[in-house]
Amino acid sequence: MADHLNLNEEQQMLLETIDEFTKGEVRPGAGERDLERTFPEDVWEGLAELGLMGVAYPEEVGGVGLGWLTHALVVESLARGCAATAMTFVAHANLAMGAIATAGSDEQKERWMEELCSGETLGALALGAGEVLAGPAAEGVTASKSGDGWVLQGTAATVVNGSRAALLVVHANVEGGGSGLFVVRGDAVGLGRGASHHTSGLRAADYADVTFEGVAVPAADTLPGDADAIVRGVLDASRVSLAAIAVGIARDAFDRTIDYSKERQMFGRRLADFDGTLEKFSTMASATESARRLLYAAATAQDGGDGYASIATMAQLHAARVAHDVAYEAVQIFGGYGYCHEYAVERLQRDAKMVEIGVDETAFARRALARELAAI
Amino acid sequence: MSNASTLHEEARIVNGILGEAAQAVRDRSREIAEQVIAPNAVRYDEEGCFPKEAIDALNDAGYMSMIIPKEYGGFGGSNVDLCSMLLEVNKVCASAGVIASVHSSLCVYPLKTFGSETVKQKYLPKLATCELLGAYCLTEPEAGSDAANQRTTAELDGDHYVLNGSKIFITTGKEAGLFIVFARTSKEDKPAKGISCFVVEADTPGLTVGKAEIKMGIKASSTTEIHFDNCRVPAENLIGERGRGFNIAMEILNGGRVGIACQGAGIHAGIIEELDAFTKSETRNGKPLAYQQDVAWTMSELIAEHDAAEALIFRAACARDREPNPIRECSTAKLFSSQACNRAARRAMQIMGLKGAVRGNRVERFYRDARITEIYEGTSEVQKIVIARTI
Ligand SMILES: Cc1cc2nc3c(=O)[nH]c(=O)nc-3n(C[C@H](O)[C@H](O)[C@H](O)COP(=O)(O)OP(=O)(O)OC[C@H]3O[C@@H](n4cnc5c(N)ncnc54)[C@H](O)[C@@H]3O)c2cc1C
């Protein structure tokens, strides 16, 4: 329970709703989706019906206006049922929506936020400018001026929701210097999508390359402001959500471990009765709880406004490590069964590893954090 | 036999300086691994199919008969030779690695060590040519780490034993021609007593292959249930003394653990090779990733742990060439090597990012394969219990 958070009634109700949804709708198909690499279609529709995509965003733009802590709790809950679904949600609700909500003009927000908040349109953020994310050797996307508008050329690598998104916010290098943010419809002429990458974990999430071959973007569809700074802000916000996915995985792994250890009998005892197992429980529990507290602290700071980037990075770093440690230990405690798909914990370990990799893709953020802390 | 006969020789081997024969095995194994197995390894993992070319090539070289004495048509090699081969095979394909290890360590070994002359004559030549592939059936749903809790029974009926019960998680279950099987021959007060060991041909009526597991890794190595339903086995197929099965099972596993340690260190070596190539070709801020300090530090730790694992493995192999059942040497090699290769996989994937996390990449495959080494042939916890008893 998140009772130490002093949630108001509305938040608590919402949390109960999402927990129930996770249990009933998200969790049951998670193993199958992992095996088949299928996008959580039904789950997505259900989530849209619950109206949770815009939990963090103000009501004026179609959101729920409950802030980032609530958002983090939703992500955590989803991840307890299926981390890949949570990742899909984060790419949509943090990355795509975040860029538009922070940078869009009133007119632009009006145009795009509602369909994103309602979940009618799936969004993605395509990072195609080198400065912010030292991604895996992507050639990047370049925007050149053409009449009133712009033309996009190039590739954005491994975009989450990349092969399916109907609305993409593209961060591209601008010819002649700087970068810009361009909003593109999925069916734009010249927009191509690679097949979803066959990843080790988070297999139901969609990581695909998106290509732009002379995609025209009218001036009205570019987001105003300093694109690098906007993207950095959106990524800071997403770090809290990635920490929430990690915490969700760790909690799921821990809960499953406790249940299993109470059932499994050996040497005339329950597995839960061995000293060594108890020692593992306490290590797993304290790690998970520390990650959870740090997550909530980061999300609360995020609601407070400025100056939460460092704690967000710390929460992500810590939670991702904890998720892997805990999921790894869960596999160990399940023994041979832990190695088999049927018992789910091997999936949690693979998912945790993908979340941990996310930490290094933001090596940039890690360096920034270290520099800030050491004042160098 | 190229036994390490003196301490001096053993010291050289533990330092990685193999004798001529073992070095020849290692070199040839590396060639087979690189030329025949590596090109197929990704496909084996994707399709989850039996690694046929790999096992065929090892068989052609005589290495599937590595520890079978020459008089039974075997290669007549030592445990050092066996490890030299397994390290190289696992470096490119951990599924082929475990199939080869189980065949020799868990099937050939008990037959040649505890089997009667009749049984040896009957089966060793066929195992030597891979006409029969070997498997080992100890685990049951209620008897994993607690292996003494066997429920499968074997009742003497005339000159046959009648087997009833079910085994799970049997490596090579689908393809094996010969099974080493443990079953209860009497109800004693002490659960470890009253268990006996048998050798059972796959086509014996009453033996059926059940469900295959969908696993995280070693996908080209089948893992199945094996059911015995009034399965009649000739009494001469009893391996070792009746009622001594549990001790036999443990001694077999003790040797098998060195094979799994080789799996870990082989995987570990493959990861280092992959990471080395990646960090030298990938650049950050204009210089190879390999020269970035945190990356170089990680690489150094991976190398230190790999070298330590290999030293423990050759220490164990030498010990096994000298005495039948060296517990501490085998369990420390398995415990350390399995944990180290998992650390290596996790850290290598971290450095490689998504490139190391997509199917088709060796680090991704080895990240999943590595995980099993801490689980089978005695979990890490079991190794710790066993090692603690040697103090
Ligand atoms: C892919 C694969 C292939 C396999 N191949 C074979 C094969 O060919 N033949 C065969 O016979 N078996 C095989 N096995 C079975 C394997 O050896 C067992 O899974 C292993 O011994 C663990 O048993 P278990 O799965 O029942 O786990 P359990 O014994 O239930 O263990 C669960 C947890 O309890 C821990 N534990 C156990 N004992 C203690 C204790 N005393 N104190 C504290 N903690 C303890 C374990 O370390 C583990 O963490 C295979 C398994 C797999 C997954």
Side-chain angles (χ1 to χ4, degrees), chain B residues 272-298:
Chain B
I272 288 173
E273 190 174 78
E274 203 67 42
L275 187 61
D276 180 45
F278 179 85
T279 56
K280 283 187 177 140
S281 65
E282 201 82 1
T283 57
R284 291 281 185 280
N285 305 322
K287 65 175 182 180
L289 207 47
Y291 298 118
Q292 194 172 296
Q293 198 172 48
D294 52 332
V295 172
W297 287 359
T298 298

PDB file of all heavy atoms in Angstrom, chain B residues 272-298:
ATOM      1  N   ILE B 272      33.282 -11.987 -23.461  1.00  0.00           N
ATOM      2  CA  ILE B 272      34.449 -11.103 -23.507  1.00  0.00           C
ATOM      3  C   ILE B 272      34.857 -10.838 -24.960  1.00  0.00           C
ATOM      4  O   ILE B 272      35.128  -9.709 -25.351  1.00  0.00           O
ATOM      5  CB  ILE B 272      35.622 -11.709 -22.693  1.00  0.00           C
ATOM      6  CG1 ILE B 272      35.301 -11.598 -21.201  1.00  0.00           C
ATOM      7  CG2 ILE B 272      36.942 -11.006 -23.026  1.00  0.00           C
ATOM      8  CD1 ILE B 272      36.282 -12.310 -20.292  1.00  0.00           C
ATOM      9  N   GLU B 273      34.850 -11.900 -25.763  1.00  0.00           N
ATOM     10  CA  GLU B 273      35.227 -11.752 -27.171  1.00  0.00           C
ATOM     11  C   GLU B 273      34.282 -10.775 -27.887  1.00  0.00           C
ATOM     12  O   GLU B 273      34.709  -9.885 -28.622  1.00  0.00           O
ATOM     13  CB  GLU B 273      35.164 -13.130 -27.842  1.00  0.00           C
ATOM     14  CG  GLU B 273      35.750 -13.178 -29.228  1.00  0.00           C
ATOM     15  CD  GLU B 273      35.786 -14.618 -29.752  1.00  0.00           C
ATOM     16  OE1 GLU B 273      34.725 -15.134 -30.190  1.00  0.00           O
ATOM     17  OE2 GLU B 273      36.864 -15.234 -29.703  1.00  0.00           O
ATOM     18  N   GLU B 274      32.994 -10.949 -27.620  1.00  0.00           N
ATOM     19  CA  GLU B 274      31.980 -10.105 -28.259  1.00  0.00           C
ATOM     20  C   GLU B 274      32.115  -8.648 -27.798  1.00  0.00           C
ATOM     21  O   GLU B 274      32.064  -7.705 -28.587  1.00  0.00           O
ATOM     22  CB  GLU B 274      30.602 -10.666 -27.870  1.00  0.00           C
ATOM     23  CG  GLU B 274      29.472 -10.319 -28.791  1.00  0.00           C
ATOM     24  CD  GLU B 274      29.591 -10.963 -30.168  1.00  0.00           C
ATOM     25  OE1 GLU B 274      29.963 -12.149 -30.277  1.00  0.00           O
ATOM     26  OE2 GLU B 274      29.321 -10.242 -31.130  1.00  0.00           O
ATOM     27  N   LEU B 275      32.289  -8.476 -26.511  1.00  0.00           N
ATOM     28  CA  LEU B 275      32.377  -7.128 -25.939  1.00  0.00           C
ATOM     29  C   LEU B 275      33.646  -6.426 -26.412  1.00  0.00           C
ATOM     30  O   LEU B 275      33.640  -5.224 -26.699  1.00  0.00           O
ATOM     31  CB  LEU B 275      32.357  -7.227 -24.406  1.00  0.00           C
ATOM     32  CG  LEU B 275      32.281  -5.912 -23.650  1.00  0.00           C
ATOM     33  CD1 LEU B 275      31.000  -5.160 -24.001  1.00  0.00           C
ATOM     34  CD2 LEU B 275      32.355  -6.147 -22.138  1.00  0.00           C
ATOM     35  N   ASP B 276      34.714  -7.194 -26.519  1.00  0.00           N
ATOM     36  CA  ASP B 276      35.980  -6.636 -26.982  1.00  0.00           C
ATOM     37  C   ASP B 276      35.821  -6.075 -28.394  1.00  0.00           C
ATOM     38  O   ASP B 276      36.192  -4.920 -28.670  1.00  0.00           O
ATOM     39  CB  ASP B 276      37.047  -7.740 -26.951  1.00  0.00           C
ATOM     40  CG  ASP B 276      38.400  -7.225 -27.416  1.00  0.00           C
ATOM     41  OD1 ASP B 276      38.796  -6.132 -26.967  1.00  0.00           O
ATOM     42  OD2 ASP B 276      39.046  -7.903 -28.233  1.00  0.00           O
ATOM     43  N   ALA B 277      35.224  -6.869 -29.267  1.00  0.00           N
ATOM     44  CA  ALA B 277      35.035  -6.409 -30.648  1.00  0.00           C
ATOM     45  C   ALA B 277      34.132  -5.175 -30.668  1.00  0.00           C
ATOM     46  O   ALA B 277      34.405  -4.204 -31.379  1.00  0.00           O
ATOM     47  CB  ALA B 277      34.432  -7.535 -31.488  1.00  0.00           C
ATOM     48  N   PHE B 278      33.087  -5.217 -29.874  1.00  0.00           N
ATOM     49  CA  PHE B 278      32.128  -4.100 -29.864  1.00  0.00           C
ATOM     50  C   PHE B 278      32.786  -2.810 -29.382  1.00  0.00           C
ATOM     51  O   PHE B 278      32.664  -1.760 -30.009  1.00  0.00           O
ATOM     52  CB  PHE B 278      30.944  -4.447 -28.958  1.00  0.00           C
ATOM     53  CG  PHE B 278      29.917  -3.349 -28.855  1.00  0.00           C
ATOM     54  CD1 PHE B 278      28.906  -3.234 -29.805  1.00  0.00           C
ATOM     55  CD2 PHE B 278      29.953  -2.436 -27.812  1.00  0.00           C
ATOM     56  CE1 PHE B 278      27.959  -2.223 -29.716  1.00  0.00           C
ATOM     57  CE2 PHE B 278      29.009  -1.414 -27.715  1.00  0.00           C
ATOM     58  CZ  PHE B 278      28.011  -1.314 -28.675  1.00  0.00           C
ATOM     59  N   THR B 279      33.484  -2.894 -28.265  1.00  0.00           N
ATOM     60  CA  THR B 279      34.009  -1.660 -27.670  1.00  0.00           C
ATOM     61  C   THR B 279      35.184  -1.094 -28.474  1.00  0.00           C
ATOM     62  O   THR B 279      35.527   0.070 -28.334  1.00  0.00           O
ATOM     63  CB  THR B 279      34.456  -1.870 -26.204  1.00  0.00           C
ATOM     64  OG1 THR B 279      35.409  -2.930 -26.161  1.00  0.00           O
ATOM     65  CG2 THR B 279      33.276  -2.196 -25.321  1.00  0.00           C
ATOM     66  N   LYS B 280      35.788  -1.922 -29.315  1.00  0.00           N
ATOM     67  CA  LYS B 280      36.860  -1.387 -30.158  1.00  0.00           C
ATOM     68  C   LYS B 280      36.311  -0.747 -31.427  1.00  0.00           C
ATOM     69  O   LYS B 280      36.913   0.166 -31.977  1.00  0.00           O
ATOM     70  CB  LYS B 280      37.862  -2.488 -30.501  1.00  0.00           C
ATOM     71  CG  LYS B 280      38.771  -2.751 -29.313  1.00  0.00           C
ATOM     72  CD  LYS B 280      39.882  -3.694 -29.629  1.00  0.00           C
ATOM     73  CE  LYS B 280      40.779  -3.856 -28.417  1.00  0.00           C
ATOM     74  NZ  LYS B 280      41.198  -5.259 -28.252  1.00  0.00           N
ATOM     75  N   SER B 281      35.160  -1.232 -31.883  1.00  0.00           N
ATOM     76  CA  SER B 281      34.632  -0.672 -33.136  1.00  0.00           C
ATOM     77  C   SER B 281      33.679   0.496 -32.870  1.00  0.00           C
ATOM     78  O   SER B 281      33.530   1.384 -33.697  1.00  0.00           O
ATOM     79  CB  SER B 281      33.931  -1.760 -33.947  1.00  0.00           C
ATOM     80  OG  SER B 281      32.798  -2.210 -33.247  1.00  0.00           O
ATOM     81  N   GLU B 282      33.059   0.493 -31.715  1.00  0.00           N
ATOM     82  CA  GLU B 282      32.088   1.547 -31.400  1.00  0.00           C
ATOM     83  C   GLU B 282      32.821   2.766 -30.828  1.00  0.00           C
ATOM     84  O   GLU B 282      33.689   2.609 -29.977  1.00  0.00           O
ATOM     85  CB  GLU B 282      31.119   0.994 -30.348  1.00  0.00           C
ATOM     86  CG  GLU B 282      29.823   1.708 -30.266  1.00  0.00           C
ATOM     87  CD  GLU B 282      28.828   1.227 -31.334  1.00  0.00           C
ATOM     88  OE1 GLU B 282      29.161   0.326 -32.127  1.00  0.00           O
ATOM     89  OE2 GLU B 282      27.732   1.769 -31.338  1.00  0.00           O
ATOM     90  N   THR B 283      32.473   3.938 -31.300  1.00  0.00           N
ATOM     91  CA  THR B 283      33.158   5.120 -30.767  1.00  0.00           C
ATOM     92  C   THR B 283      32.188   6.032 -30.025  1.00  0.00           C
ATOM     93  O   THR B 283      31.001   6.070 -30.309  1.00  0.00           O
ATOM     94  CB  THR B 283      33.821   5.944 -31.888  1.00  0.00           C
ATOM     95  OG1 THR B 283      32.804   6.294 -32.839  1.00  0.00           O
ATOM     96  CG2 THR B 283      34.919   5.163 -32.586  1.00  0.00           C
ATOM     97  N   ARG B 284      32.720   6.710 -29.034  1.00  0.00           N
ATOM     98  CA  ARG B 284      31.983   7.768 -28.329  1.00  0.00           C
ATOM     99  C   ARG B 284      32.903   8.979 -28.310  1.00  0.00           C
ATOM    100  O   ARG B 284      34.072   8.867 -27.924  1.00  0.00           O
ATOM    101  CB  ARG B 284      31.670   7.378 -26.889  1.00  0.00           C
ATOM    102  CG  ARG B 284      30.664   6.272 -26.722  1.00  0.00           C
ATOM    103  CD  ARG B 284      29.216   6.732 -26.881  1.00  0.00           C
ATOM    104  NE  ARG B 284      28.300   5.619 -26.596  1.00  0.00           N
ATOM    105  CZ  ARG B 284      27.995   4.648 -27.459  1.00  0.00           C
ATOM    106  NH1 ARG B 284      28.522   4.651 -28.672  1.00  0.00           N
ATOM    107  NH2 ARG B 284      27.173   3.673 -27.139  1.00  0.00           N
ATOM    108  N   ASN B 285      32.386  10.102 -28.702  1.00  0.00           N
ATOM    109  CA  ASN B 285      33.179  11.322 -28.753  1.00  0.00           C
ATOM    110  C   ASN B 285      34.492  11.108 -29.503  1.00  0.00           C
ATOM    111  O   ASN B 285      35.549  11.564 -29.087  1.00  0.00           O
ATOM    112  CB  ASN B 285      33.488  11.842 -27.344  1.00  0.00           C
ATOM    113  CG  ASN B 285      32.213  12.030 -26.546  1.00  0.00           C
ATOM    114  OD1 ASN B 285      31.196  12.452 -27.080  1.00  0.00           O
ATOM    115  ND2 ASN B 285      32.263  11.688 -25.266  1.00  0.00           N
ATOM    116  N   GLY B 286      34.411  10.354 -30.570  1.00  0.00           N
ATOM    117  CA  GLY B 286      35.566  10.194 -31.440  1.00  0.00           C
ATOM    118  C   GLY B 286      36.590   9.159 -31.015  1.00  0.00           C
ATOM    119  O   GLY B 286      37.548   8.911 -31.726  1.00  0.00           O
ATOM    120  N   LYS B 287      36.413   8.553 -29.847  1.00  0.00           N
ATOM    121  CA  LYS B 287      37.379   7.497 -29.504  1.00  0.00           C
ATOM    122  C   LYS B 287      36.660   6.182 -29.200  1.00  0.00           C
ATOM    123  O   LYS B 287      35.502   6.194 -28.770  1.00  0.00           O
ATOM    124  CB  LYS B 287      38.288   7.923 -28.341  1.00  0.00           C
ATOM    125  CG  LYS B 287      37.577   8.136 -27.035  1.00  0.00           C
ATOM    126  CD  LYS B 287      38.558   8.447 -25.905  1.00  0.00           C
ATOM    127  CE  LYS B 287      37.800   8.597 -24.593  1.00  0.00           C
ATOM    128  NZ  LYS B 287      38.613   8.897 -23.459  1.00  0.00           N
ATOM    129  N   PRO B 288      37.377   5.071 -29.447  1.00  0.00           N
ATOM    130  CA  PRO B 288      36.723   3.780 -29.214  1.00  0.00           C
ATOM    131  C   PRO B 288      36.223   3.668 -27.766  1.00  0.00           C
ATOM    132  O   PRO B 288      36.895   4.117 -26.840  1.00  0.00           O
ATOM    133  CB  PRO B 288      37.828   2.769 -29.478  1.00  0.00           C
ATOM    134  CG  PRO B 288      38.815   3.473 -30.329  1.00  0.00           C
ATOM    135  CD  PRO B 288      38.748   4.912 -29.940  1.00  0.00           C
ATOM    136  N   LEU B 289      35.070   3.059 -27.650  1.00  0.00           N
ATOM    137  CA  LEU B 289      34.465   2.856 -26.337  1.00  0.00           C
ATOM    138  C   LEU B 289      35.440   2.136 -25.397  1.00  0.00           C
ATOM    139  O   LEU B 289      35.444   2.360 -24.187  1.00  0.00           O
ATOM    140  CB  LEU B 289      33.208   2.008 -26.533  1.00  0.00           C
ATOM    141  CG  LEU B 289      32.068   2.127 -25.547  1.00  0.00           C
ATOM    142  CD1 LEU B 289      31.730   3.579 -25.271  1.00  0.00           C
ATOM    143  CD2 LEU B 289      30.850   1.396 -26.082  1.00  0.00           C
ATOM    144  N   ALA B 290      36.276   1.275 -25.974  1.00  0.00           N
ATOM    145  CA  ALA B 290      37.205   0.482 -25.165  1.00  0.00           C
ATOM    146  C   ALA B 290      38.128   1.368 -24.332  1.00  0.00           C
ATOM    147  O   ALA B 290      38.629   0.949 -23.297  1.00  0.00           O
ATOM    148  CB  ALA B 290      38.037  -0.433 -26.064  1.00  0.00           C
ATOM    149  N   TYR B 291      38.353   2.586 -24.798  1.00  0.00           N
ATOM    150  CA  TYR B 291      39.266   3.469 -24.067  1.00  0.00           C
ATOM    151  C   TYR B 291      38.550   4.340 -23.050  1.00  0.00           C
ATOM    152  O   TYR B 291      39.167   5.138 -22.362  1.00  0.00           O
ATOM    153  CB  TYR B 291      40.069   4.336 -25.044  1.00  0.00           C
ATOM    154  CG  TYR B 291      40.922   3.502 -25.963  1.00  0.00           C
ATOM    155  CD1 TYR B 291      40.729   3.516 -27.327  1.00  0.00           C
ATOM    156  CD2 TYR B 291      41.912   2.657 -25.437  1.00  0.00           C
ATOM    157  CE1 TYR B 291      41.495   2.730 -28.168  1.00  0.00           C
ATOM    158  CE2 TYR B 291      42.677   1.864 -26.271  1.00  0.00           C
ATOM    159  CZ  TYR B 291      42.467   1.904 -27.632  1.00  0.00           C
ATOM    160  OH  TYR B 291      43.222   1.115 -28.451  1.00  0.00           O
ATOM    161  N   GLN B 292      37.246   4.192 -22.977  1.00  0.00           N
ATOM    162  CA  GLN B 292      36.506   4.936 -21.951  1.00  0.00           C
ATOM    163  C   GLN B 292      36.752   4.224 -20.624  1.00  0.00           C
ATOM    164  O   GLN B 292      36.663   3.009 -20.535  1.00  0.00           O
ATOM    165  CB  GLN B 292      35.019   4.935 -22.317  1.00  0.00           C
ATOM    166  CG  GLN B 292      34.183   5.926 -21.551  1.00  0.00           C
ATOM    167  CD  GLN B 292      32.767   5.972 -22.125  1.00  0.00           C
ATOM    168  OE1 GLN B 292      32.566   6.357 -23.276  1.00  0.00           O
ATOM    169  NE2 GLN B 292      31.812   5.552 -21.321  1.00  0.00           N
ATOM    170  N   GLN B 293      37.042   5.002 -19.582  1.00  0.00           N
ATOM    171  CA  GLN B 293      37.529   4.382 -18.357  1.00  0.00           C
ATOM    172  C   GLN B 293      36.557   3.379 -17.728  1.00  0.00           C
ATOM    173  O   GLN B 293      36.951   2.262 -17.383  1.00  0.00           O
ATOM    174  CB  GLN B 293      37.874   5.464 -17.336  1.00  0.00           C
ATOM    175  CG  GLN B 293      38.762   4.945 -16.240  1.00  0.00           C
ATOM    176  CD  GLN B 293      39.250   6.058 -15.347  1.00  0.00           C
ATOM    177  OE1 GLN B 293      38.473   6.894 -14.901  1.00  0.00           O
ATOM    178  NE2 GLN B 293      40.534   6.075 -15.088  1.00  0.00           N
ATOM    179  N   ASP B 294      35.302   3.760 -17.600  1.00  0.00           N
ATOM    180  CA  ASP B 294      34.373   2.828 -16.947  1.00  0.00           C
ATOM    181  C   ASP B 294      34.253   1.526 -17.744  1.00  0.00           C
ATOM    182  O   ASP B 294      34.123   0.445 -17.168  1.00  0.00           O
ATOM    183  CB  ASP B 294      33.008   3.480 -16.709  1.00  0.00           C
ATOM    184  CG  ASP B 294      32.434   4.113 -17.958  1.00  0.00           C
ATOM    185  OD1 ASP B 294      33.226   4.522 -18.837  1.00  0.00           O
ATOM    186  OD2 ASP B 294      31.206   4.199 -18.069  1.00  0.00           O
ATOM    187  N   VAL B 295      34.337   1.626 -19.059  1.00  0.00           N
ATOM    188  CA  VAL B 295      34.245   0.427 -19.899  1.00  0.00           C
ATOM    189  C   VAL B 295      35.490  -0.449 -19.707  1.00  0.00           C
ATOM    190  O   VAL B 295      35.389  -1.670 -19.536  1.00  0.00           O
ATOM    191  CB  VAL B 295      34.083   0.822 -21.387  1.00  0.00           C
ATOM    192  CG1 VAL B 295      34.174  -0.406 -22.291  1.00  0.00           C
ATOM    193  CG2 VAL B 295      32.750   1.542 -21.591  1.00  0.00           C
ATOM    194  N   ALA B 296      36.642   0.182 -19.703  1.00  0.00           N
ATOM    195  CA  ALA B 296      37.889  -0.576 -19.517  1.00  0.00           C
ATOM    196  C   ALA B 296      37.905  -1.254 -18.145  1.00  0.00           C
ATOM    197  O   ALA B 296      38.381  -2.387 -18.001  1.00  0.00           O
ATOM    198  CB  ALA B 296      39.092   0.356 -19.660  1.00  0.00           C
ATOM    199  N   TRP B 297      37.382  -0.579 -17.162  1.00  0.00           N
ATOM    200  CA  TRP B 297      37.347  -1.173 -15.816  1.00  0.00           C
ATOM    201  C   TRP B 297      36.442  -2.401 -15.779  1.00  0.00           C
ATOM    202  O   TRP B 297      36.782  -3.432 -15.216  1.00  0.00           O
ATOM    203  CB  TRP B 297      36.846  -0.136 -14.788  1.00  0.00           C
ATOM    204  CG  TRP B 297      37.850   0.934 -14.489  1.00  0.00           C
ATOM    205  CD1 TRP B 297      39.104   1.049 -15.004  1.00  0.00           C
ATOM    206  CD2 TRP B 297      37.673   2.059 -13.607  1.00  0.00           C
ATOM    207  NE1 TRP B 297      39.723   2.174 -14.506  1.00  0.00           N
ATOM    208  CE2 TRP B 297      38.866   2.808 -13.644  1.00  0.00           C
ATOM    209  CE3 TRP B 297      36.635   2.499 -12.802  1.00  0.00           C
ATOM    210  CZ2 TRP B 297      39.052   3.973 -12.902  1.00  0.00           C
ATOM    211  CZ3 TRP B 297      36.803   3.656 -12.055  1.00  0.00           C
ATOM    212  CH2 TRP B 297      38.013   4.394 -12.105  1.00  0.00           C
ATOM    213  N   THR B 298      35.300  -2.260 -16.397  1.00  0.00           N
ATOM    214  CA  THR B 298      34.386  -3.402 -16.436  1.00  0.00           C
ATOM    215  C   THR B 298      35.038  -4.575 -17.154  1.00  0.00           C
ATOM    216  O   THR B 298      35.031  -5.708 -16.669  1.00  0.00           O
ATOM    217  CB  THR B 298      33.079  -3.023 -17.168  1.00  0.00           C
ATOM    218  OG1 THR B 298      32.442  -1.980 -16.437  1.00  0.00           O
ATOM    219  CG2 THR B 298      32.149  -4.210 -17.275  1.00  0.00           C
TER     220      THR B 298
END
